[in-house]
Amino acid sequence: MRLLIALSVLLISSLTWAANPQVRLQTSMGNITIELFPEQAPETVENILRYVDEGFYDGTVFHRVVPGFVIQGGGFDRDLQQKKTHAPIKNEADNGLNNERGTLSMARTSNPDSGTSQFFVNLKDNAMLDHTAPTPRGWGYAVFGKVVDGMDTVDRIAKVRTGVGRLNGAHSVRDVPSTPVIIERAVRLDEDSQAD
């Protein structure tokens, strides 16, 4: 019996140790827990965790909310001023993961390898964002995680009133929440980050 208990504890410990890292976004509208996929998107996950560990996301906002499509954040502060980021990373959209409801992907410009800190949560299955070819048009957007708790918070954010906002004080864009939706804090939930 002791051997069975010891083996069970060992098995549970190894399963816990091998689990994918998780991050909790504590937002002004509730918490969102994200499981990251380091096996499929190693550089992207390393990049996201670097920003989390640096406290970069604390005080940023979801600056783009498009109902039935995505909510996007991770790059602008409460005053819609863009934060200074690290160098862009390689686009890992060819990792076999799809832009399905509840997944997180790297936001980027028209340059496939321009993602830095910004990400979006898919509000529905967005197959048109998936990788189809290694071309500028076909690269798609790299999925690197999924919401495992707090999709109700994501759906609440998707319903906020939006309008035209000025990013960096000059660039007018649509779909900016009228009342800021703030990422108050982003923290790791995995065992390796007990400094919290």
Side-chain angles (χ1 to χ4, degrees):
M1 183 64 159
R2 281 189 229 168
L3 178 60
L4 182 58
I5 292 171
L7 287 175
S8 296
V9 169
L10 182 61
L11 178 61
I12 290 169
S13 296
S14 66
L15 289 174
T16 302
W17 181 79
N20 286 335
Q22 292 189 350
V23 169
R24 181 187 304 124
L25 301 179
Q26 299 169 353
T27 82
S28 55
M29 295 188 71
N31 291 340
I32 303 167
T33 302
I34 301 155
E35 177 184 1
L36 303 175
F37 302 136
E39 186 175 319
Q40 294 89 344
E43 189 173 339
T44 306
V45 168
E46 181 181 343
N47 177 65
I48 292 293
L49 289 175
R50 178 182 185 186
Y51 285 115
V52 169
D53 292 343
E54 292 172 349
F56 179 91
Y57 293 119
D58 301 357
T60 61
V61 296
F62 283 100
H63 66 277
R64 181 174 178 230
V65 173
V66 185
F69 184 48
V70 300
I71 63 171
Q72 181 175 332
F76 292 87
D77 66 20
R78 298 169 201 235
D79 298 320
L80 299 179
Q81 296 299 306
Q82 192 162 17
K83 295 184 71 171
K84 184 170 172 46
T85 63
H86 298 292
I89 61 170
K90 175 179 153 270
N91 188 333
E92 295 180 305
D94 59 347
N95 62 17
L97 299 174
N98 296 320
N99 282 276
E100 298 170 344
R101 175 172 162 77
T103 58
L104 280 83
S105 294
M106 287 301 293
R108 61 173 177 82
T109 66
S110 58
N111 175 352
D113 295 322
S114 60
T116 55
S117 65
Q118 291 186 44
F119 59 87
F120 59 87
V121 182
N122 287 291
L123 299 175
K124 68 176 187 80
D125 292 355
N126 288 315
M128 73 280 210
L129 301 179
D130 292 342
H131 174 78
T132 57
T135 63
R137 191 172 177 94
W139 254 111
Y141 295 79
V143 174
F144 65 87
K146 71 176 180 183
V147 174
V148 293
D149 189 34
M151 200 60 197
D152 56 331
T153 299
V154 171
D155 289 335
R156 273 196 306 279
I157 294 170
K159 293 177 183 170
V160 300
R161 203 164 113 219
T162 61
V164 175
R166 293 195 173 277
L167 300 181
N168 289 323
H171 183 70
S172 291
V173 294
R174 297 180 335 195
D175 306 315
V176 176
S178 302
T179 300
V181 179
I182 302 162
I183 299 173
E184 296 166 344
R185 192 160 182 237
V187 294
R188 280 196 203 217
L189 299 180
D190 57 303
E191 288 185 338
D192 294 329
S193 62
Q194 296 304 317
D196 185 30

